Amino acid sequence: MASLVAYDDSDSETETEPTRSVNSEGQMDDASAVTRSSGMGFASGTVAVTKEGAQHTGDQRLPLARIWRSHPGSCPSQRLQWPSKDPDAAFSISKPPHPSWMSRAPAGHVPLAAACLKSVKSAWEARSSSSHTQSEAESTAGNASSSQRKRGEDCVVPYTPKRLRQLQAQNPEDGGKDKEPPGPPAGYAPAPLRVPPTVSEFIQPYLNSQHRETKVPKRVLFHLRGHRGPVNSIQWCPVFRKSHMLLSASMDKTFKVWNAVDSGHCLQTYSVHSEAVRAARWSPCGRRILSGGFDFALHLTDLETGTQVFSGRSDFRVTTLKFHPKDHNVFLCGGFSSEIKAWDMRTGKVVKGYKATIQQTLDILFLQEGSSFLSSTDASTRDSADRTIIAWDFRTAAKISNQIYHERYTCPSLALHPREPVFLAQSNGNYLALFSSVWPYRMSRRRRYEGHKVEGYAVGCECSPCGDLLVTGSADGRVLMFSFRTARRACTLQGHAQACLGTTYHPVLPSVLGTCSWGGDIKIWH
């Protein structure tokens, strides 16, 4: 019996004409097509070609032709993957290929065995027919070449979803350990927290302490990676016994809850939005999270059950959310609109609107236990920005004052001092301005905190729980701390490679600080 003839799996432009032999009846034999049928070994009776051109069939199986090992260049590329309609389908990458994967093939996909048997059948019919001409033999050779290319394209290769490949590439130094599984797709109820929120052993000694002196952090305690987009804001849980949990909202359409004190692990990922999540806030009870994004949606998610307690739809993209300090069923919502709306979650409706001649609301800050609030807008003129900060009466929706800030800069964020009747405004003029929180809301001319860069980013600022230090991010990635009394710089941290957007002190631990960046990472400093 003659040895099998290996074919060359190459492109049609460089492929030579297959070898043919003339039998006793004067018929043309396509050796490459027959050799391919015996090499695959899909039928029980194999076919071989002898030197005289006769056919031999038998029940015993011929050894497989090891074409890929003998010709490495003919091996199909490992990058070839199935065209899948569901890119989020999770396949196990640790197990070898299994025939059950064929059930996951999309519509219109031809299995490899069917394609090979089809090509063998066509070659057998072409060989046994006595009326084929030279032109028909050439067309058969062309079909064999296209069949070989199809074989390379439809090669069964384990498919690794894009989401898993991105998660594997995020933290290569961990060697694939403790990776965060992808969250549920948008529109589905997220799962509850995997770890029940308990009191941290690090927080327990400070719960009964009255005086908490804030210290300057010196080193990074945790470097939290998991978001695939810029992290817009971070917030510690307002309940002291649960303040080991950190909330982060990102432009990757998700918000996450981290254990940022004990382990630095992500407790859960919530994918309830179809667009970027611009704002997310803890409820005052610490059991729910209110979120809003660029998909015009508002959701109140319960952490213990993973269900959405409240869902609403705004008529503009949401950029800021704030709970009322007294009535926790009411919150304010602002965004790409000239109107701020107050929602009541008990009825699921808008109860009041605060309209001004502006284009966008950047931030909201409640004053005097909720009787009034401030809104920061992007309204400005060439000479002044007298409507950049507006004071509102919460009940009547009347403007108390719109002549608070007179410089030609907008203020992307506002922060209230915990002890003094003042508030801070982050200015695009690359400084922090200090204002009185009571009427007539005058700006301090003596104290100005500068040295960082804003440059159009929504850089946040905050006061320490004791009120002695102020912290702000910077567009160049730095984290700056200032003395509240003297306005001098107390410390500068080289925090992130990209712009630092959010900074927040821990409400209980005296020297723990959280920062987030445009690059998608979060750092916990101690």
Side-chain angles (χ1 to χ4, degrees), residues 390-404:
I390 303 176
W392 302 84
D393 185 88
F394 179 76
R395 286 190 173 183
T396 62
K399 295 180 183 178
I400 300 176
S401 175
N402 61 356
Q403 303 292 322
I404 300 175

Side-chain angles (χ1 to χ4, degrees), residues 276-321:
V277 181
R278 185 64 178 82
R281 304 289 299 180
W282 287 97
S283 64
C285 64
R287 296 192 301 268
R288 299 169 180 176
I289 294 177
L290 178 66
S291 60
F294 285 177
D295 57 350
F296 303 87
L298 297 167
H299 297 292
L300 183 67
T301 306
D302 189 276
L303 299 181
E304 297 179 357
T305 62
T307 58
Q308 298 177 14
V309 181
F310 160 79
S311 293
R313 185 166 182 85
S314 176
D315 54 358
F316 53 83
R317 290 182 172 88
V318 180
T319 59
T320 179
L321 297 169

Side-chain angles (χ1 to χ4, degrees), residues 120-141:
V120 171
K121 183 179 179 181
S122 62
W124 174 260
E125 292 175 354
R127 184 179 182 278
S128 61
S129 178
S130 60
S131 61
H132 284 178
T133 60
Q134 179 68 20
S135 59
E136 293 175 344
E138 293 176 356
S139 63
T140 305

Side-chain angles (χ1 to χ4, degrees), residues 48-240:
V49 181
T50 62
K51 296 181 180 179
E52 293 79 11
Q55 303 174 7
H56 295 276
T57 60
D59 295 334
Q60 59 182 358
R61 185 183 304 272
L62 292 178
L64 297 180
R66 303 182 181 274
I67 299 175
W68 291 356
R69 293 188 180 181
S70 59
H71 298 278
S74 64
C75 180
S77 175
Q78 295 298 325
R79 296 183 180 179
L80 296 178
Q81 299 171 357
W82 290 352
S84 174
K85 293 183 179 180
D86 187 9
D88 294 334
F91 294 95
S92 175
I93 60 178
S94 61
K95 297 182 179 180
H98 194 273
S100 63
W101 290 359
M102 302 301 295
S103 61
R104 295 182 177 268
H109 177 76
V110 180
L112 179 60
C116 294
L117 289 176
K118 184 177 180 181
S119 62
V120 171
K121 183 179 179 181
S122 62
W124 174 260
E125 292 175 354
R127 184 179 182 278
S128 61
S129 178
S130 60
S131 61
H132 284 178
T133 60
Q134 179 68 20
S135 59
E136 293 175 344
E138 293 176 356
S139 63
T140 305
N143 293 335
S145 301
S146 61
S147 177
Q148 292 175 6
R149 290 193 301 269
K150 181 177 181 59
R151 177 180 177 276
E153 293 174 356
D154 292 341
C155 180
V156 179
V157 177
Y159 173 66
T160 303
K162 182 179 180 181
R163 182 177 296 178
L164 291 180
R165 295 197 303 270
Q166 291 176 345
L167 291 176
Q168 292 172 2
Q170 283 173 3
N171 199 3
E173 62 270 12
D174 290 345
K177 298 180 180 179
D178 297 331
K179 289 188 178 296
E180 171 64 19
Y188 291 85
L193 289 180
R194 303 193 201 98
V195 180
T198 57
V199 181
S200 171
E201 59 180 358
F202 298 101
I203 298 177
Q204 182 69 42
Y206 295 93
L207 291 178
N208 298 325
S209 177
Q210 299 295 330
H211 179 70
R212 303 184 183 94
E213 182 181 0
T214 303
K215 299 179 181 179
V216 176
K218 298 180 180 179
R219 62 183 181 90
V220 176
L221 183 62
F222 296 116
H223 194 173
L224 311 180
R225 300 182 182 94
H227 283 293
R228 299 184 300 274
V231 180
N232 296 310
S233 62
I234 53 176
Q235 183 191 10
W236 297 100
C237 182
V239 180
F240 289 170

Side-chain angles (χ1 to χ4, degrees), residues 4 29-39 47-49 120 123-124 127:
L4 298 179
D29 293 341
D30 193 345
S32 63
V34 179
T35 303
R36 184 165 178 264
S37 65
S38 62
V47 182
V49 181
V120 171
W124 174 260
R127 184 179 182 278

